[in-house]
């Protein structure tokens, strides 16, 4: 194990024979981002480590990142092979590989175009209306009985669950009003335990992967959530097809858009490898539709709720920036008006605030990874196949040579056309980049911006009175960085 990177002339921490560098990465007391920062300081911008028996090459050199994600993306089009093939993950854009991934990605891409996402704004608006009602009730309760701090992370987890369930799963969830909602609990449980013991054992002892697959399906937190999603989506698809054949009317949401993207007669299993030509490439199986609806909640739930929470936290401790943003919102739409898609698109300072928040707290810190099915050249290094390539987003976004005072919240970094420049130079890549970037980035940004517009137009966000010097404690339970102990904030109604 040690000899692999040594022979390549690539430095890195010394791995344990059985667990690789898992003890350092997942041990208590340090975040994975802190461990990787220490490794970078010690070994440089390119180094290797082991997740169990899996070799991973970390690359933070900007030109090499562009080679991997953009210039030579066809050589790095796949993610590493999955540790365990637990359905429905193999049928998702995360699990699909090579040609079939390209076909499904091309078929699904129009679902996440600006025009299509714009059609889902009314669904978001209904869910955010519940958020506003909850904050209004909290403010009235505060008048009667004293300060009522709101855990922003828990609030926005409920909102994210409601929005994604309504848009992608055809599920009516009441997570904002009921934190004990069965589906809400199942989603939170799954994400909190995504890197649980079954996965860790499979990483360290690949021969036990099949046994761990069975254990995960039988006892894992994902079982309840997956069963609920699959049953609900399959039922919704059948009802919609039956209704369409009689009435011709269909709802407008991501699930329907995925169904519409399948132009062939629907099938009940993935297209076979023997199927050729455009007929195969244009068809999504029912399994693939259900699987990608399933992955929508995994990809969007914690990333959206954490980003909303972090942004509100930053604005609460930077009142001058919050007031600048409020001034822009006030000039754009009235307090009793729901912002339109076009209005949101024209809010320049809002975009700067969101960009800076995503720089400071990128949604995922260890998910921009690539796998190779053959040997390849990365800069001066000849890297053998099956070595994973990881782009350390946190380190990219906090490089002091790129970002002056990298831990300072300064939206003016993104004024004018700076966002495009940073992105082109691989300095700001919160959603990845290149052909395998996050397909749901537009949806996530609209959800984030619409919620911020709606909340901040009506409420001023301040820290809870006993948390004015509050410093966030963070954790990375899987690939998303989230607050460890919640974010207590007060939302004070604005009086005009």
């Amino acid at each position: 194990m040690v000899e692999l990177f040594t022979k390549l002339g690539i430095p890195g921490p010394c791995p344990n024979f059985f667990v690789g560098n898992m003890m350092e990465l997942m041990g208590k007391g340090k975040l994975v981002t802190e461990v990787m920062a220490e490794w970078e300081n010690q070994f440089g911008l390119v180094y290797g480590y082991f997740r169990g028996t899996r070799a991973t090459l970390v690359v933070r050199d900007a030109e090499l990142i562009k080679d991997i994600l953009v210039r030579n993306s066809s050589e790095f089009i796949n993610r590493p092979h999955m540790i365990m093939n637990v359905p429905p993950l193999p049928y998702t854009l995360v699990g699909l590989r090579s040609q079939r991934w390209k076909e499904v990605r091309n078929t699904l891409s129009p679902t996440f175009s600006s025009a299509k996402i714009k059609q889902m704004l009314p669904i978001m608006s209904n869910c955010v209306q519940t958020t506003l009602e909850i904050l209004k009730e909290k403010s009235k309760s505060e008048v009667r009985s004293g300060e009522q701090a709101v855990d922003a992370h828990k609030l926005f987890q409920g909102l994210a669950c409601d929005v994604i369930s309504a848009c992608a799963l055809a599920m009516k969830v009441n997570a904002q009003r009921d934190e004990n909602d069965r589906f809400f609990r199942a989603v939170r449980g799954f994400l909190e335990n995504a890197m649980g013991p079954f996965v860790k054992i499979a990483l360290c002892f690949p021969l036990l992967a099949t046994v761990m697959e069975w254990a995960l399906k039988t006892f894992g937190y994902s079982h309840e959530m997956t069963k609920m999603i699959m049953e609900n989506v399959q039922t919704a698809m059948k009802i919609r097809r039956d209704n369409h054949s009689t009435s011709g009317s269909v709802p407008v949401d991501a699930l329907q858009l995925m169904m519409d993207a399948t132009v062939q007669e629907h099938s009940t299993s993935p297209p076979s490898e023997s199927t050729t030509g455009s007929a195969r490439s244009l068809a999504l199986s029912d399994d693939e539709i259900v699987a990608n609806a399933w992955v929508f909640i995994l990809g969007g739930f914690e990333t959206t709720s954490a980003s909303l929470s972090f942004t509100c936290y930053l604005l609460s401790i930077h009142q001058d920036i919050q007031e600048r943003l409020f001034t822009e919102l006030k000039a754009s739409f009235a307090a009793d008006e729901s912002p339109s898609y076009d209005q949101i698109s024209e809010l320049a300072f809002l975009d700067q605030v969101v960009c800076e928040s995503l720089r400071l707290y990128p949604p995922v810190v260890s998910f921009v990874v690539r796998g190779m099915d053959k040997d390849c050249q990365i800069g001066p290094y000849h890297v053998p196949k099956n070595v994973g390539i990881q782009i350390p987003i946190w380190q990219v976004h906090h490089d002091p040579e790129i970002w002056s005072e990298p831990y300072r919240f300064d939206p003016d970094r993104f004024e004018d056309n700076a966002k495009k420049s940073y992105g082109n130079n691989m300095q700001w890549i919160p959603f990845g980049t290149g052909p395998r970037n996050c397909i749901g980035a537009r949806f996530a940004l609209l959800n984030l911006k619409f919620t911020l517009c709606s909340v901040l137009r009506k409420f001023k966000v301040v820290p809870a009175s006993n948390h004015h010097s509050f410093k966030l404690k963070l954790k990375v339970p899987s690939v998303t960085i989230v607050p460890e102990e919640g974010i207590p904030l007060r939302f004070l109604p604005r009086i005009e």
Side-chain angles (χ1 to χ4, degrees), residues 102-122:
K102 292 179 184 177
E103 293 163 352
V104 172
R105 173 82 183 210
N106 288 339
T107 303
L108 288 179
S109 288
T111 299
F112 298 95
S113 68
S114 298
K116 296 295 186 182
I117 288 173
K118 186 176 181 178
Q119 297 177 42
M120 289 182 265
L121 190 58

Side-chain angles (χ1 to χ4, degrees), residues 85-142:
N85 290 312
V86 179
L89 193 57
Y91 301 144
T92 69
L93 284 175
V94 175
L96 290 169
R97 299 176 62 80
S98 303
Q99 183 62 26
R100 188 55 189 159
W101 172 82
K102 292 179 184 177
E103 293 163 352
V104 172
R105 173 82 183 210
N106 288 339
T107 303
L108 288 179
S109 288
T111 299
F112 298 95
S113 68
S114 298
K116 296 295 186 182
I117 288 173
K118 186 176 181 178
Q119 297 177 42
M120 289 182 265
L121 190 58
I123 299 175
M124 289 184 192
S125 181
N126 287 336
C127 296
V128 172
Q129 187 58 41
T130 300
T131 308
L132 298 176
E133 291 170 0
I134 290 172
L135 294 176
K136 186 176 180 180
E137 291 163 8
K138 285 284 187 181
S139 66
K140 288 182 178 178
S141 178
E142 180 166 318

Side-chain angles (χ1 to χ4, degrees), residues 454-473:
S454 302
V455 170
L456 298 173
R457 183 64 180 85
K458 293 178 180 292
F459 297 92
K460 181 177 183 177
V461 188
V462 300
S465 60
N466 57 337
H467 287 85
H468 281 291
S469 58
F470 179 60
K471 184 177 180 181
L472 286 181
K473 292 184 179 179

Side-chain angles (χ1 to χ4, degrees), residues 24 59 110 131 158 256 261 330 376-377 388 400 423 466:
E24 299 102 306
V59 177
T131 308
Q256 186 61 46
K330 187 176 180 181
C376 70
Q377 193 73 23
N466 57 337

Side-chain angles (χ1 to χ4, degrees), residues 431-493:
F431 300 103
T433 192
R436 198 147 190 166
N437 67 339
C438 175
I439 194 172
R442 284 195 187 97
F443 181 92
L445 285 170
L446 178 60
N447 193 4
L448 179 56
K449 289 182 177 181
F450 180 82
T451 303
L452 290 171
C453 280
S454 302
V455 170
L456 298 173
R457 183 64 180 85
K458 293 178 180 292
F459 297 92
K460 181 177 183 177
V461 188
V462 300
S465 60
N466 57 337
H467 287 85
H468 281 291
S469 58
F470 179 60
K471 184 177 180 181
L472 286 181
K473 292 184 179 179
L474 305 172
K475 62 179 180 179
V476 186
S478 54
V479 297
T480 306
I481 196 159
V482 298
E484 184 175 19
E485 299 175 349
I487 302 181
L489 299 173
R490 297 170 67 202
F491 293 80
L492 308 178

